[in-house]
Amino acid sequence: MVRAAILPAVGSPLEIRDIELPEPGPGRVRVRLAAAGVCHSDLSLSNGTMRVPVPAVLGHEGAGTVVSVGEGVTHVAPGDGVVLNWAPSCGTCHHCGIGEVWLCAGALSGAASVYARTADGTDLHPGLNVAAFAEETVVAANCVLPVPEGIPLTDAALLGCAVLTGYGAVHHSAQVRAGESVAVFGVGGVGLAVLQSARIAGAGQIVAVDVSPAKEELARAAGATDFVIASETTAKEVRKLTGAAQGVDVAIECVGRAVTIRAAWDSTRRGGRTTVVGIGGKDQQVTFNALEIFHFGRTLSGCVYGNSDPERDLPVLADHIRAGRLDLSSMVTEQIGLDGIPAAFDNMLAGKGGRALVVF
């Protein structure tokens, strides 16, 4: 029996309860969590913005130590440090076949399975495959990747979502080039990773935008050269900061709200790129008129998991971390236990802090 944060139903409060995990069967791995990040996607799952089979144990950004492995698992062994990969590629679908593993058709198939039970026998589903809001979890073997050498396990937890997403948004989706100007909308966990990644890419001017003035210090420490408090005139203020008020070369939206996506688009220069990382609800409708699409010649693109391939990108991120170019610990503004997750959700809704990290 291990402790876990259970979502009993969509829209219901999380419950901290004991759950019973099975021993890992063939192709499965049992992991003792060291840390798990509280991501906005977990909040979106809990409130119904994204669908999840319930009851479920949420949490998809985590790292820990292998406790035991099932038959056929050879790439990790008991005692190994691992990063949880919530969106493993199947390797056989159309998207995997053309190298777009972040769009794998079967990536979330495991989320519908039953992976554990409560003490009274209620079946539990693993939220986004890995159920990281628990002292231990059992996952498919392709949901674990060895932690790169020299990376502390608590820091490595952030590699599972925020950092892969933020780094990939800059380097894979927006393809920021040295000297370009970048605006980052939303200075949460992913936004902080985007800011650091834009700096690593050699961006010239980096404008951070957030509703909270308290985020300015965090943003500047991550690489922002300018800070704008979000308002109805955000796009105008961002453009004023750029040469000839033309707008930034690249705008990256990390919030998932229609008004923020529109502001990011309006902040982008003619011919520039707007990348949307934030996950919004179906009620968030963004509108454009046909003339502006022609006139501005901008590119608007979505971005799933940073368009990243974890097996390819983790070694690259590890090099940046070891060289001091990427600071994971600075993204964490609060360390909590499992019972602190609801308050971390509230802080996200209020626009407070960076990444809250559940430490076991």
Side-chain angles (χ1 to χ4, degrees):
M1 304 293 284
V2 299
R3 299 287 279 172
I6 298 172
L7 178 70
V10 173
S12 297
L14 295 180
E15 299 176 357
I16 311 302
R17 298 171 58 187
D18 287 333
I19 67 171
E20 183 176 352
L21 287 174
E23 288 303 310
R28 308 278 290 174
V29 179
R30 183 164 180 152
V31 178
R32 180 178 301 112
L33 272 296
V38 182
C39 179
H40 204 281
S41 296
D42 297 309
L43 175 60
S44 296
L45 290 168
S46 71
N47 64 25
T49 300
M50 297 169 62
R51 292 183 178 181
V52 62
V54 289
V57 175
L58 301 183
H60 63 281
E61 179 184 88
T65 303
V66 175
V67 175
S68 55
V69 301
E71 182 182 352
V73 177
T74 58
H75 72 295
V76 294
D80 288 349
V82 292
V83 177
L84 297 180
N85 176 16
W86 62 270
S89 59
C90 69
T92 59
C93 72
H94 170 74
H95 287 290
C96 288
I98 61 175
E100 296 177 348
V101 298
W102 53 92
L103 298 178
C104 173
L108 295 180
S109 59
S113 65
V114 172
Y115 92 110
R117 291 179 173 81
T118 62
D120 63 7
T122 301
D123 290 343
L124 293 172
H125 302 280
L128 291 184
N129 284 326
V130 296
F133 288 165
E135 294 170 333
E136 295 186 14
T137 188
V138 175
V139 300
N142 60 356
C143 285
V144 296
L145 296 167
V147 170
E149 185 178 350
I151 312 300
L153 278 179
T154 50
D155 288 350
L158 301 181
L159 294 173
C161 183
V163 178
L164 275 169
T165 299
Y167 180 86
V170 169
H171 291 267
H172 303 320
S173 181
Q175 297 182 8
V176 174
R177 298 182 290 267
E180 287 191 313
S181 55
V182 179
V184 181
F185 288 74
V187 185
V190 172
L192 289 169
V194 170
L195 287 168
Q196 291 201 59
S197 299
R199 174 176 45 77
I200 290 170
Q205 186 176 26
I206 304 175
V207 183
V209 180
D210 200 273
V211 295
S212 172
K215 297 282 189 77
E216 181 170 2
E217 185 177 349
L218 270 176
R220 290 189 180 275
T225 59
D226 300 274
F227 185 83
V228 172
I229 299 171
S231 70
E232 294 180 354
T233 61
T234 293
K236 184 177 180 180
E237 292 180 55
V238 172
R239 289 198 304 271
K240 276 184 180 179
L241 292 170
T242 63
Q246 65 179 357
V248 293
D249 296 303
V250 174
I252 300 178
E253 197 272 358
C254 304
V255 181
R257 296 182 60 221
V259 65
T260 317
I261 294 169
R262 181 71 218 200
W265 168 267
D266 290 338
S267 299
T268 307
R269 67 166 175 84
R270 289 186 74 184
R273 289 103 67 201
T274 305
T275 293
V276 178
V277 178
I279 301 172
K282 292 180 179 179
D283 61 329
Q284 295 291 313
Q285 298 293 315
V286 188
T287 60
F288 308 91
N289 66 60
L291 180 60
E292 70 175 305
I293 293 174
F294 159 78
H295 173 74
F296 288 112
R298 298 166 178 150
T299 300
L300 176 67
S301 62
C303 178
V304 177
Y305 203 5
N307 294 8
S308 293
D309 178 346
E311 291 189 24
R312 173 198 65 197
D313 293 332
L314 279 182
V316 176
L317 291 171
D319 286 342
H320 287 308
I321 294 167
R322 288 190 288 260
R325 293 183 292 267
L326 181 59
D327 182 2
L328 301 184
S329 61
S330 66
M331 296 167 54
V332 178
T333 54
E334 184 181 22
Q335 292 191 357
I336 59 175
L338 285 172
D339 56 359
I341 297 173
F345 282 173
D346 290 340
N347 285 339
M348 267 191 259
L349 287 171
K352 297 179 181 178
R355 203 42 135 216
L357 190 68
V358 179
V359 178
F360 297 92

